[in-house]
Amino acid sequence: MSVPPPNRPGAPRPAGIGATYTANQTLQRQQTGYIPVMAAGHTEVITTAPTLGQFWRSDVLRTTTRRRPRWAGMAAFWLSLAAIGFLLIGSLTGIELVRAIALPLSAVAGFFGLIAVIARIGRALGFVGLILALVGNIFVLSWIVRLFS
């Protein structure tokens, strides 16, 4: 097995994994399939995690003209609002059936919220839907009441 020759700084090489672009490339080198590689030590490697603003902004930025899908976030948000509504109405009127409907609604809202956050399908509404799904769950509310009383 032969060893390839060492790369010279600024020398063109075939495009491949780890190839980086420089600001002063010529169009001719790009068209022939060769990408000049920056000198060793000038490669920028980001080792920090993105900030919270960059994380949320990544959901907004898009490369195509089509709108990004938001169905999972919207479903999580509206189902969690419905769960909160059923829980409040059932608690105020004392009807157990209405209050019992809130539990599966909040579980489904939490599921859709997880899908939205993980798969980036309406991440902001999915996150709000996750929080509201916890508020609309009778078991979470009873646990919080026991914890703080």
Side-chain angles (χ1 to χ4, degrees):
M1 180 173 183
S2 64
V3 177
N7 288 335
R8 291 174 287 153
R13 71 172 188 148
I17 297 174
T20 59
Y21 291 93
T22 60
N24 57 359
Q25 289 182 7
T26 62
L27 186 59
Q28 179 192 17
R29 286 185 181 171
Q30 286 180 355
Q31 289 175 347
T32 58
Y34 287 92
I35 301 171
V37 178
M38 296 173 58
H42 296 312
T43 304
E44 180 181 347
V45 178
I46 300 173
T47 58
T48 59
T51 63
L52 188 60
Q54 291 169 341
F55 179 72
W56 290 111
R57 193 173 59 232
S58 69
D59 195 30
V60 176
L61 299 177
R62 55 185 182 264
T63 57
T64 61
T65 57
R66 294 187 336 189
R67 291 182 58 189
R68 289 187 66 138
R70 303 183 302 171
W71 61 269
M74 294 279 279
F77 179 73
W78 289 111
L79 284 173
S80 62
L81 282 182
I84 291 173
F86 276 107
L87 185 63
L88 286 176
I89 291 171
S91 297
L92 293 176
T93 60
I95 302 173
E96 281 295 318
L97 180 64
V98 176
R99 193 170 17 171
I101 293 173
L103 184 62
L105 280 178
S106 68
V108 173
F111 177 71
F112 278 118
L114 284 175
I115 289 175
V117 170
I118 293 171
R120 296 176 53 180
I121 305 174
R123 187 182 296 161
L125 281 175
F127 183 73
V128 172
L130 270 174
I131 300 300
L132 292 178
L134 291 175
V135 172
N137 193 325
I138 189 68
F139 292 121
V140 173
L141 290 179
S142 64
W143 174 72
I144 289 174
V145 166
R146 276 187 286 131
L147 186 67
F148 292 111
S149 61

